[in-house]
Amino acid sequence: MRECLSIHVGQAGIQIGDACWELYCLEHGIQPDGTVLDSKKDRLENAKMAPVAASFDTVFWETRAGKQVPRAFFMDLEPTVIDGIRTGKYRSLFHPEQLVSGKEDAANNYARGHYSVGSEMIDLVLERIRKLAKPCGGLQGFLIFRSFGGGTGSGFTSLLMEQLSIHYGRKTKLEFCVYPAPRISTAVVEPYNSVLTTHSTMEHSDCTFMVDNEALYDICHHQLGIERPSYTSINRLVGQVVSSITASLRFEGPLNVDLIEFQTNLVPYPRIHFPMTAFAPIVAAEKAYHKAFSVSDITTACFESSNQLVKCDPRLGQYMACCLLYRGDVVPKDVNAAIAAMKSRQSIQFVDWCPTGFKVGINNHPPTMLPGGHLAKVQRTVCLLSNTTAVVEAWARLDHKFDLMYAKKAFLHWYIREGMEEWEFSEAREDLAALERDYEELGPSLRYDDKNEY
């Protein structure tokens, strides 16, 4: 078996998790109460459900009563968001022990999530994760969903990652992180939380896939034509990406990609583990009939900045590695032709020490779109995970915002009051400066300045 556990931390992690499990259930024909639509009669009655696949026990486990339960764990330091799942459509899908909430919020404060409030919850959380991991025959690793800017997402996750490294040392830990966007912010202290959590999880995370809300909003607004995108809209988009990444664990395919293969192919050095994500085709339901999407078309599209889930310009850097995950009606011959065409383009520059650069996964199970959603049903999709030196632009932008606040020691007393010390901020900032230098050394990229800001 190749089980993987999903851990959803904080409001962003939980809401993305809600969208992911909704999509998984649809893809595998699992109803909101955990029962599987198995008979032909059932499937005819519920035609919206996709056909059941045999290998979904990597992400679901079966109870004695024959009910499917997600291999997932949801955790927040305050109850509001988790209560939404406890009372929502999928309340019967999860075991009550998989949903843990505290009584006191981290209040957008890394120090509360990591030290004062979070440290009281960590033992209970580890015990619940141990119970989920115990029945796994061959646990591959953990998928961790969180935001960089929130208190629980930044503080508690870094505490949890340290403990997971101690208790499950050799297991892969992949993160899906909502990164602070250039112009959109939900908290003033996002730069502090993000720099502190990046520093403290640097050695514990194997690979961190970044998305940011501004890029997601732009995609929803410009490409899907959603006038006022909601968190549900952007989370469902992230759900499609996560589904593409885990598809080879859940469905049989001609060219499968394991969790461990991602880090092997995408991470040239341990610290350089922040790939960007892109997805194609992103097309509104009402426009689908007017467009054709060949393998070549969608491959070209996912290298365009308008399809990227992080706001930074890939033309300003060089690619170190790319992972292309195809789903649906795709054959290797078309993929090879599309990649050859991409390699011949001037706009796609690879570092000189990594000549091959492309890792490919192909899965024949067609992509599933949620009924009533904004995304059109298409025959094939591709998800691009690319490790590029251009991402240094995002780090430089974040460090610049950190420096502006830290120079005036603004908001620092909230962290010090919860048990942190000033040297921890300086140390974290130095580590991020070193990360920027690491990227600069790997390949030339245009430095960030105020004129480059979106």
Side-chain angles (χ1 to χ4, degrees):
M1 285 310 302
R2 305 176 298 162
E3 298 95 347
C4 61
L5 294 185
S6 299
I7 300 173
H8 306 272
V9 184
Q11 180 167 352
I14 290 165
Q15 289 178 335
I16 290 171
D18 201 18
C20 288
W21 289 103
E22 182 184 22
L23 185 58
Y24 285 174
C25 286
L26 197 67
E27 288 181 343
H28 294 294
I30 293 169
Q31 291 188 296
D33 61 355
T35 54
V36 182
L37 287 173
D38 222 359
S39 70
K40 281 186 181 175
K41 185 185 167 200
D42 274 348
R43 286 196 212 163
L44 286 170
E45 284 174 8
N46 201 327
K48 288 176 185 170
M49 292 288 188
V52 180
S55 58
F56 59 63
D57 41 10
T58 53
V59 290
F60 288 91
W61 53 277
E62 194 172 347
T63 63
R64 286 179 184 170
K67 186 183 152 187
Q68 296 297 329
V69 181
R71 297 185 191 273
F73 179 75
F74 290 75
M75 184 278 154
D76 199 2
L77 292 177
E78 57 102 26
T80 320
V81 189
I82 284 193
D83 283 348
I85 290 182
R86 288 184 178 127
T87 57
K89 182 183 175 185
Y90 289 88
R91 61 186 177 276
S92 305
L93 188 66
F94 300 100
H95 190 285
E97 286 196 351
Q98 292 174 282
L99 309 171
V100 170
S101 56
K103 294 182 174 63
E104 201 177 354
D105 195 2
N108 281 129
N109 187 332
Y110 172 91
R112 282 174 71 85
H114 193 281
Y115 297 102
S116 50
V117 183
S119 59
E120 295 168 14
M121 297 271 301
I122 189 69
D123 290 335
L124 170 66
V125 167
L126 286 169
E127 175 59 23
R128 296 283 170 86
I129 290 172
R130 189 190 62 78
K131 280 186 178 175
L132 281 170
K134 196 176 177 184
C136 295
L139 178 65
Q140 266 214 350
F142 301 94
L143 301 176
I144 296 153
F145 299 78
R146 49 94 166 235
S147 69
F148 271 7
T152 311
S154 65
F156 188 81
T157 309
S158 54
L159 180 61
L160 178 61
M161 298 275 278
E162 287 166 24
Q163 294 298 319
L164 290 177
S165 290
I166 294 166
H167 296 286
Y168 307 92
R170 297 295 301 245
K171 304 298 180 194
T172 301
K173 292 186 284 296
L174 304 186
E175 288 185 283
F176 292 88
C177 294
V178 180
Y179 184 87
R183 290 181 309 192
I184 295 172
S185 173
T186 55
V188 176
V189 290
E190 264 184 5
Y192 281 166
N193 293 337
S194 303
V195 168
L196 289 166
T197 194
T198 304
H199 166 60
S200 53
T201 58
M202 186 76 75
E203 63 192 60
H204 302 296
S205 173
D206 293 306
C207 203
T208 302
F209 303 114
M210 298 197 296
V211 299
D212 83 48
N213 283 346
E214 190 174 330
L216 291 165
Y217 279 131
D218 283 354
I219 287 170
C220 287
H221 189 63
H222 299 305
Q223 291 180 247
L224 296 178
I226 306 170
E227 192 73 21
R228 295 165 65 195
S230 64
Y231 276 135
T232 306
S233 311
I234 63 175
N235 288 340
R236 283 179 171 176
L237 198 53
V238 177
Q240 289 292 340
V241 172
V242 176
S243 173
S244 294
I245 290 171
T246 59
S248 60
L249 296 171
R250 300 178 290 119
F251 303 104
E252 300 304 321
L255 203 54
N256 274 349
V257 182
D258 261 357
L259 282 191
I260 301 162
E261 285 182 52
F262 287 121
Q263 70 190 77
T264 309
N265 288 280
L266 282 172
V267 183
Y269 302 99
R271 285 167 63 84
I272 310 295
H273 63 246
F274 298 96
M276 296 200 302
T277 42
F279 187 75
I282 298 169
V283 61
E286 59 270 20
K287 293 181 186 169
Y289 298 108
H290 305 285
K291 293 187 179 181
F293 302 104
S294 67
V295 173
S296 177
D297 292 339
I298 61 174
T299 308
T300 305
C302 71
F303 279 93
E304 290 168 7
S305 53
S306 59
N307 283 42
Q308 283 188 339
L309 277 54
V310 179
K311 272 278 177 208
C312 70
D313 191 344
R315 292 168 302 183
L316 300 183
Q318 295 183 328
Y319 289 98
M320 291 171 277
C322 292
C323 186
L324 286 162
L325 303 170
Y326 292 91
R327 284 187 78 169
D329 181 17
V330 177
V331 291
K333 179 175 174 284
D334 293 345
V335 172
N336 294 338
I339 289 174
M342 296 313 296
K343 280 184 175 176
S344 65
R345 291 190 166 211
Q346 286 282 218
S347 58
I348 294 171
Q349 294 283 325
F350 272 83
V351 288
D352 50 15
W353 46 265
C354 190
T356 48
F358 284 93
K359 163 77 180 162
V360 176
I362 301 173
N363 197 285
N364 291 139
H365 191 273
T368 306
M369 304 302 167
L370 289 159
H374 296 281
L375 279 168
K377 176 97 175 115
V378 288
Q379 284 182 302
R380 58 186 73 83
T381 60
V382 61
C383 174
L384 168 71
L385 308 170
S386 59
N387 204 343
T388 164
T389 60
V391 84
V392 74
E393 179 193 334
W395 292 122
R397 204 164 52 213
L398 181 67
D399 291 343
H400 177 62
K401 289 175 181 173
F402 178 99
D403 292 342
L404 290 175
M405 290 202 300
Y406 191 63
K408 296 288 184 188
K409 301 284 190 283
F411 303 102
L412 219 59
H413 64 286
W414 295 114
Y415 293 80
I416 289 162
R417 152 189 306 193
E418 299 294 339
M420 282 187 74
E421 294 182 31
E422 267 192 47
W423 62 264
E424 293 182 67
F425 283 79
S426 308
E427 186 184 78
R429 178 63 184 88
E430 282 164 21
D431 194 20
L432 268 282
L435 182 67
E436 277 190 65
R437 286 195 299 275
D438 291 343
Y439 273 101
E440 292 291 342
E441 285 167 14
L442 291 174
S445 65
L446 301 180
R447 290 280 310 171
Y448 164 83
D449 57 42
D450 290 331
K451 294 175 201 140
N452 280 353
E453 184 145 11
Y454 283 86

